[in-house]
Amino acid sequence: MKKLRIVLVMLILALIVSGCSNSGVSPQIESKGNTVTAQSAIDYDTFTTAMRAKGYSLEELQPSQNEIKFFSVTAKSIKVNGDLIFIYEFTDNATAKSESQRITSDGQIGNSIIDWIDKPHFYLQGKIIVGYIGSNKTILGDLAKIIGDPITAT
């Protein structure tokens, strides 16, 4: 009976210790008091916080008056280590999802025919659509970790 009790206590301790392990858990980042984990960047603030946590230097750019409006919202543009990323933040997830359906697998938007300077990569997560026009493998990998797989095939 005593051996059974010892085995039971050891089993319980093993379960408690293994439950405290961080393996398989996404890293957590604080954004305006909210905890952000990988693939949970759902708005502009959590996205930029996650990018900074990855070590990127972000430069917020002023909106251009000549910007072509692809969606119902204006893009917020940031320069990430010299590359441009556009973040379209909508009022809710449903609107973002609905408007993302205008993006074709090759990165065209709506009826526009765009001659991109590099490969277009678009992502949808929460209430944001993120556009990255570039081919930096490190940035592409980190975008996938932060907001998931691209909705474009390029």
Side-chain angles (χ1 to χ4, degrees):
M1 187 68 150
K2 189 173 183 178
K3 282 186 180 183
L4 180 61
R5 207 178 288 173
I6 290 173
V7 170
L8 190 57
V9 168
M10 295 298 283
L11 180 62
I12 290 171
L13 284 174
L15 289 172
I16 290 171
V17 170
S18 68
C20 295
S21 169
N22 273 341
S23 63
V25 176
S26 300
Q28 296 183 342
I29 307 157
E30 290 296 319
S31 172
K32 293 191 174 182
N34 298 318
T35 301
V36 179
T37 58
Q39 295 190 11
S40 69
I42 57 169
D43 58 20
Y44 180 81
D45 291 327
T46 55
F47 175 76
T48 55
T49 298
M51 289 295 284
R52 284 187 181 101
K54 288 279 187 190
Y56 290 102
S57 164
L58 307 182
E59 177 188 348
E60 295 184 24
L61 304 175
Q62 295 300 316
S64 169
Q65 294 181 350
N66 299 327
E67 181 183 340
I68 299 170
K69 201 150 183 182
F70 294 117
F71 303 107
S72 64
V73 296
T74 302
K76 294 180 183 177
S77 305
I78 57 173
K79 206 174 236 190
V80 178
N81 294 5
D83 287 345
L84 287 175
I85 293 181
F86 305 96
I87 301 103
Y88 301 89
E89 185 171 16
F90 299 89
T91 55
D92 55 53
N93 298 7
T95 304
K97 184 171 184 160
S98 173
E99 294 212 26
S100 75
Q101 300 193 356
R102 300 181 60 225
I103 304 169
T104 64
S105 64
D106 64 349
Q108 299 300 313
I109 303 171
N111 295 326
S112 302
I113 298 174
I114 307 159
D115 187 18
W116 297 111
I117 59 171
D118 206 334
K119 292 181 179 178
H121 306 273
F122 286 92
Y123 304 81
L124 169 68
Q125 182 73 295
K127 63 181 187 172
I128 58 173
I129 294 174
V130 174
Y132 169 57
I133 314 306
S135 49
N136 180 308
K137 293 195 183 302
T138 303
I139 292 175
L140 289 168
D142 287 337
L143 287 172
K145 290 175 187 170
I146 293 169
I147 52 179
D149 293 330
I151 57 176
T152 47
T154 56

